[in-house]
């Protein structure tokens, strides 16, 4: 079967089966005739001492039953084995892709943060050491947290706070950030660096392109084993004279969507993205226990 059936050589397989049945028939007849009895078919009403069509048909039918039975067993065992291999392969591919997505977050995040530090050093700002210290804390979190599939929600929120502190340095009073956290965060787990890209989007596609007052609102609420996360930022003003396009989302948002699809069942999360009252909103409901 592995040599012919699995290689789709059905004609050769059929010919070999027929040849095997004929060989079996000759062997069975001769063994019965010379070692057991001259009557090779004792269940018949008459003595059969030669190779007849009736003896051949009866013998072959019995052997076809045996072949069919073991063929079914062989196919079932091989199917189970291949399904197991495919399942293991899919799991390895899933883990590989998730690791890639997590690693994709870090360079993207650091790229923007290093730009912040570069701007401060050009200005000879005394805030540069503080920014570097905050960045080192984030690097420590990334170094250890991203190796895990799930991280404490409190650690993720602390990471968000550090990131916001870094970004807050770059803006004056024109940037208003409101962050509210409620519910019991104890024993809540979340994929590391899942929320940071959503916060980062507010600055990358909001604050950096806004003229006038900029608002960012972050709400985190844990209830009944689910985390409700909502982040909103005011939509950047569009220059009506030049009509510059305003980008929405980017690598970060698509990355979050992909990680949710790969890491959770459909019933374990809900992601909504919409604009309302001149605010760009991302709402995530995620199972955290």
């Amino acid at each position: 079967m592995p040599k012919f059936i699995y290689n789709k050589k059905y004609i050769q397989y059929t010919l070999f089966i027929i040849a095997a049945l004929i060989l079996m028939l000759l062997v069975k007849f001769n063994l019965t005739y010379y070692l057991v009895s001259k009557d090779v078919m004792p269940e018949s009403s008459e003595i059969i001492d030669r190779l007849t069509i009736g003896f051949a048909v009866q013998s072959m039918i019995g052997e076809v039953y045996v072949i069919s039975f073991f063929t079914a067993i062989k196919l079932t065992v091989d199917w189970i084995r291949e399904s197991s291999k495919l399942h293991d392969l899919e799991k390895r591919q899933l883990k590989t892709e998730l690791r890639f997505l997590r690693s994709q977050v870090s360079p993207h995040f650091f790229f923007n943060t290093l730009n912040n530090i570069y701007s401060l050093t050009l200005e000879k700002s005394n805030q540069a050491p503080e920014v570097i210290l905050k960045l080192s804390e984030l690097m420590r979190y990334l170094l250890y947290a991203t190796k895990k599939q799930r991280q404490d929600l409190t650690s993720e929120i602390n990471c968000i706070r550090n990131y916001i502190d870094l970004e807050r340095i770059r803006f004056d009073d024109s940037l208003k950030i409101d962050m509210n956290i409620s519910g019991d965060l104890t024993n809540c787990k979340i994929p590391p660096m899942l929320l940071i890209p959503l916060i980062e989007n507010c600055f990358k596609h909001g604050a950096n392109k806004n003229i006038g007052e900029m608002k960012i609102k972050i709400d985190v609420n844990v209830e009944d084993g689910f985390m409700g996360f909502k982040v909103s930022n005011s939509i950047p003003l569009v220059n009506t004279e030049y009509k510059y396009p305003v980008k929405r989302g980017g690598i970060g948002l698509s990355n979050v969507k992909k990680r949710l699809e790969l890491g959770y069942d459909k019933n374990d999360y809900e992601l909504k993205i919409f604009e309302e009252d001149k605010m760009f909103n991302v709402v995530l409901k995620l199972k955290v226990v």
Side-chain angles (χ1 to χ4, degrees), residues 137-138 141 145 148 150-163 179 181-196 220-222 227 229 286 288-289:
E137 292 177 2
L138 288 172
Y141 175 76
K148 303 177 182 178
R150 296 287 189 270
Q151 178 63 285
D152 292 335
L153 180 56
T154 52
S155 298
E156 184 77 2
I157 290 178
N158 288 335
C159 182
I160 290 174
R161 292 185 189 276
N162 283 333
Y163 177 77
M179 185 172 183
I181 300 173
S182 60
D184 185 9
L185 276 59
T186 308
N187 298 324
C188 293
K189 299 292 184 179
I190 189 173
M193 297 297 292
L194 181 69
L195 303 180
I196 282 290
V220 181
N221 177 49
V222 177
M227 176 197 68
F229 178 84
L286 183 69
V288 291
V289 293

Coordinates of all heavy atoms in Angstrom, one line a residue, residues 137-138 141 145 148 150-163 179 181-196 220-222 227 229 286 288-289:
E137 N 13.9 50.2 31.8 CA 12.9 49.4 32.4 C 12.0 48.6 31.4 O 11.7 47.5 31.6 CB 12.0 50.3 33.3 CG 12.8 50.9 34.5 CD 11.9 51.9 35.3 OE1 10.7 52.0 34.9 OE2 12.4 52.4 36.3
L138 N 11.7 49.3 30.3 CA 11.0 48.7 29.3 C 11.7 47.5 28.6 O 11.2 46.5 28.3 CB 10.6 49.7 28.2 CG 9.5 50.7 28.6 CD1 9.3 51.8 27.6 CD2 8.2 50.0 28.9
Y141 N 11.6 44.5 30.8 CA 10.3 43.9 30.6 C 10.3 43.0 29.4 O 9.8 41.9 29.4 CB 9.2 44.9 30.6 CG 7.8 44.3 30.4 CD1 7.1 43.7 31.4 CD2 7.2 44.5 29.2 CE1 5.9 43.1 31.2 CE2 6.0 44.0 28.9 CZ 5.3 43.3 29.9 OH 4.0 42.8 29.7
A145 N 9.6 39.2 29.6 CA 8.2 39.0 29.4 C 7.8 38.3 28.0 O 7.0 37.4 28.0 CB 7.4 40.3 29.5
K148 N 7.5 34.5 27.4 CA 6.3 33.8 27.9 C 5.1 34.0 27.0 O 5.0 35.0 26.3 CB 6.0 34.3 29.3 CG 7.1 34.3 30.3 CD 6.7 34.9 31.7 CE 7.8 34.9 32.7 NZ 7.4 35.5 33.9
R150 N 2.0 34.0 28.3 CA 1.1 34.9 29.0 C 1.9 35.6 30.1 O 2.8 35.0 30.7 CB 0.0 34.0 29.7 CG -0.9 33.4 28.7 CD -1.8 34.4 28.0 NE -2.9 33.7 27.2 CZ -2.7 33.4 25.9 NH1 -1.6 33.7 25.3 NH2 -3.7 32.9 25.2
Q151 N 1.6 36.8 30.3 CA 2.2 37.7 31.3 C 1.2 38.3 32.2 O 0.0 38.4 31.9 CB 3.0 38.8 30.7 CG 3.7 39.7 31.6 CD 4.8 39.1 32.4 OE1 4.5 38.4 33.4 NE2 6.1 39.2 32.1
D152 N 1.5 38.6 33.5 CA 0.6 39.3 34.4 C 0.1 40.6 33.8 O 0.9 41.3 33.2 CB 1.3 39.6 35.7 CG 1.6 38.3 36.5 OD1 0.9 37.3 36.2 OD2 2.5 38.3 37.3
L153 N -1.2 40.8 33.9 CA -1.8 42.0 33.4 C -1.2 43.2 34.1 O -1.1 44.3 33.4 CB -3.3 41.9 33.6 CG -4.1 43.1 33.1 CD1 -3.9 43.4 31.6 CD2 -5.6 42.9 33.3
T154 N -0.9 43.1 35.4 CA -0.3 44.2 36.1 C 1.0 44.7 35.5 O 1.3 45.9 35.4 CB -0.2 43.9 37.6 OG1 0.6 42.7 37.7 CG2 -1.5 43.8 38.3
S155 N 1.8 43.7 35.1 CA 3.1 44.0 34.4 C 2.9 44.7 33.1 O 3.6 45.6 32.8 CB 3.9 42.7 34.2 OG 4.2 42.0 35.5
E156 N 1.9 44.2 32.4 CA 1.6 44.9 31.1 C 1.2 46.3 31.3 O 1.6 47.2 30.5 CB 0.5 44.1 30.3 CG 0.2 44.6 28.9 CD 1.2 44.2 27.9 OE1 2.2 43.5 28.2 OE2 1.0 44.7 26.7
I157 N 0.4 46.6 32.3 CA -0.1 47.9 32.6 C 1.1 48.8 33.0 O 1.1 50.0 32.7 CB -1.2 47.9 33.6 CG1 -2.5 47.3 32.9 CG2 -1.5 49.3 34.1 CD1 -3.7 47.1 33.9
N158 N 1.9 48.2 33.8 CA 3.1 49.0 34.2 C 4.0 49.4 33.0 O 4.6 50.5 33.0 CB 4.0 48.2 35.2 CG 3.3 48.1 36.6 OD1 2.5 49.0 37.0 ND2 3.6 47.1 37.3
C159 N 4.1 48.5 32.1 CA 4.8 48.8 30.9 C 4.1 49.9 30.1 O 4.8 50.8 29.6 CB 4.8 47.5 30.0 SG 5.8 47.7 28.5
I160 N 2.8 49.9 30.1 CA 2.1 51.0 29.4 C 2.3 52.3 30.1 O 2.5 53.3 29.5 CB 0.5 50.6 29.4 CG1 0.3 49.5 28.5 CG2 -0.3 51.9 29.0 CD1 -1.2 49.0 28.5
R161 N 2.3 52.3 31.4 CA 2.6 53.5 32.2 C 4.0 54.1 31.8 O 4.2 55.3 31.6 CB 2.5 53.3 33.7 CG 1.1 52.9 34.2 CD 1.1 52.8 35.7 NE -0.1 52.3 36.2 CZ -1.2 53.1 36.5 NH1 -1.1 54.4 36.2 NH2 -2.3 52.5 37.0
N162 N 5.0 53.2 31.8 CA 6.3 53.6 31.4 C 6.4 54.2 30.0 O 7.0 55.2 29.8 CB 7.3 52.5 31.5 CG 7.7 52.2 33.0 OD1 7.6 53.0 33.8 ND2 8.0 50.9 33.2
Y163 N 5.6 53.6 29.1 CA 5.6 54.1 27.7 C 5.0 55.5 27.7 O 5.5 56.4 27.0 CB 4.9 53.1 26.8 CG 4.8 53.6 25.4 CD1 5.8 53.6 24.6 CD2 3.6 54.2 25.0 CE1 5.7 54.1 23.3 CE2 3.5 54.7 23.7 CZ 4.6 54.6 22.8 OH 4.5 55.1 21.6
M179 N -6.1 58.0 32.2 CA -6.0 56.5 32.3 C -6.7 56.1 33.5 O -6.4 56.5 34.6 CB -4.5 56.1 32.3 CG -4.4 54.6 32.3 SD -2.6 54.1 32.1 CE -2.7 52.3 32.1
I181 N -8.2 52.6 35.6 CA -8.1 51.1 35.8 C -9.0 50.7 36.9 O -9.0 51.3 38.0 CB -6.7 50.7 36.1 CG1 -5.7 51.1 35.0 CG2 -6.6 49.2 36.4 CD1 -4.2 50.9 35.3
S182 N -9.8 49.7 36.7 CA -10.8 49.2 37.7 C -10.9 47.7 37.6 O -10.5 47.1 36.6 CB -12.2 49.9 37.5 OG -12.7 49.5 36.2
G183 N -11.4 47.1 38.7 CA -11.5 45.7 38.8 C -10.4 45.0 39.4 O -9.3 45.6 39.8
D184 N -10.5 43.7 39.6 CA -9.4 42.9 40.3 C -8.5 42.3 39.2 O -8.9 41.5 38.5 CB -10.1 41.8 41.1 CG -9.0 41.0 41.9 OD1 -7.8 41.5 42.0 OD2 -9.4 40.0 42.5
L185 N -7.3 42.8 39.2 CA -6.3 42.4 38.2 C -5.5 41.2 38.7 O -4.6 40.7 37.9 CB -5.3 43.5 37.9 CG -5.8 44.5 36.8 CD1 -7.0 45.2 37.2 CD2 -4.7 45.6 36.6
T186 N -5.8 40.7 39.9 CA -5.0 39.6 40.4 C -5.2 38.3 39.6 O -6.3 38.0 39.2 CB -5.4 39.3 41.9 OG1 -5.4 40.5 42.6 CG2 -4.5 38.2 42.5
N187 N -4.1 37.6 39.3 CA -4.1 36.3 38.5 C -4.6 36.5 37.1 O -5.0 35.5 36.5 CB -5.0 35.3 39.3 CG -4.4 35.0 40.6 OD1 -3.2 34.9 40.8 ND2 -5.3 34.7 41.6
C188 N -4.7 37.7 36.6 CA -5.1 37.9 35.2 C -3.9 37.8 34.3 O -2.8 38.4 34.6 CB -5.8 39.3 35.0 SG -7.4 39.4 35.9
K189 N -4.0 37.1 33.2 CA -2.9 36.9 32.3 C -3.2 37.4 30.9 O -4.4 37.4 30.5 CB -2.6 35.4 32.2 CG -2.2 34.7 33.5 CD -0.8 35.2 34.0 CE -0.4 34.4 35.2 NZ 0.9 34.9 35.7
I190 N -2.2 37.9 30.2 CA -2.4 38.5 28.9 C -1.1 38.2 28.1 O 0.0 38.2 28.7 CB -2.7 40.0 29.0 CG1 -3.1 40.6 27.7 CG2 -1.5 40.7 29.6 CD1 -3.6 42.0 27.8
P191 N -1.2 38.1 26.8 CA 0.0 38.0 26.0 C 0.9 39.2 26.1 O 0.3 40.3 26.1 CB -0.5 37.8 24.5 CG -1.9 37.3 24.7 CD -2.4 37.9 26.0
P192 N 2.2 39.1 26.3 CA 3.0 40.3 26.5 C 3.1 41.2 25.3 O 3.0 40.7 24.2 CB 4.4 39.6 26.8 CG 4.4 38.3 26.2 CD 2.9 37.8 26.4
M193 N 3.1 42.4 25.6 CA 3.2 43.5 24.5 C 2.0 43.4 23.6 O 2.1 43.8 22.4 CB 4.5 43.3 23.7 CG 5.8 43.5 24.5 SD 5.9 45.2 25.2 CE 6.2 46.1 23.7
L194 N 0.8 43.0 24.1 CA -0.4 43.0 23.2 C -1.0 44.4 23.2 O -1.5 44.8 22.1 CB -1.4 42.0 23.7 CG -2.6 41.8 22.9 CD1 -2.4 41.2 21.6 CD2 -3.7 41.0 23.7
L195 N -1.0 45.1 24.3 CA -1.7 46.4 24.4 C -0.8 47.5 24.0 O -1.4 48.6 23.6 CB -2.2 46.6 25.8 CG -3.1 45.5 26.4 CD1 -3.6 45.8 27.8 CD2 -4.4 45.3 25.5
I196 N 0.5 47.4 24.1 CA 1.4 48.5 23.8 C 1.2 49.0 22.4 O 1.1 50.3 22.2 CB 2.8 48.1 24.0 CG1 3.2 48.1 25.5 CG2 3.8 49.0 23.3 CD1 3.2 49.5 26.1
V220 N -9.3 50.5 31.5 CA -9.1 49.1 31.7 C -10.0 48.6 32.8 O -9.9 49.2 33.9 CB -7.6 48.8 32.0 CG1 -7.4 47.3 32.2 CG2 -6.6 49.3 31.0
N221 N -10.8 47.6 32.5 CA -11.7 47.1 33.5 C -11.7 45.6 33.4 O -11.9 45.0 32.3 CB -13.1 47.7 33.3 CG -14.1 47.1 34.2 OD1 -13.9 47.1 35.4 ND2 -15.2 46.6 33.7
V222 N -11.6 44.9 34.5 CA -11.6 43.5 34.6 C -12.9 43.1 35.4 O -13.1 43.5 36.5 CB -10.4 42.9 35.3 CG1 -10.5 41.4 35.4 CG2 -9.1 43.3 34.5
M227 N -11.2 41.1 30.4 CA -10.7 42.4 30.5 C -11.4 43.3 29.4 O -11.4 42.9 28.2 CB -9.2 42.4 30.3 CG -8.6 43.9 30.3 SD -6.9 43.9 29.5 CE -7.3 43.5 27.8
F229 N -10.8 46.7 27.5 CA -9.8 47.7 27.3 C -10.3 48.6 26.1 O -10.6 48.1 25.1 CB -8.5 47.0 26.8 CG -7.4 47.9 26.5 CD1 -6.6 48.4 27.5 CD2 -7.1 48.3 25.2 CE1 -5.5 49.3 27.2 CE2 -6.1 49.1 24.9 CZ -5.3 49.6 25.9
L286 N -11.3 40.8 26.2 CA -10.3 39.6 26.2 C -10.5 38.8 27.4 O -10.5 39.3 28.5 CB -8.9 40.1 26.0 CG -7.8 39.1 25.9 CD1 -7.9 38.4 24.5 CD2 -6.4 39.7 26.0
V288 N -9.0 36.8 30.3 CA -7.7 36.9 31.0 C -7.5 35.9 32.1 O -6.6 36.0 32.9 CB -7.6 38.4 31.5 CG1 -7.4 39.4 30.4 CG2 -8.7 38.8 32.4
V289 N -8.5 35.0 32.3 CA -8.3 34.0 33.4 C -8.5 32.6 32.8 O -9.1 32.4 31.7 CB -9.3 34.2 34.5 CG1 -9.0 35.5 35.3 CG2 -10.7 34.2 34.1

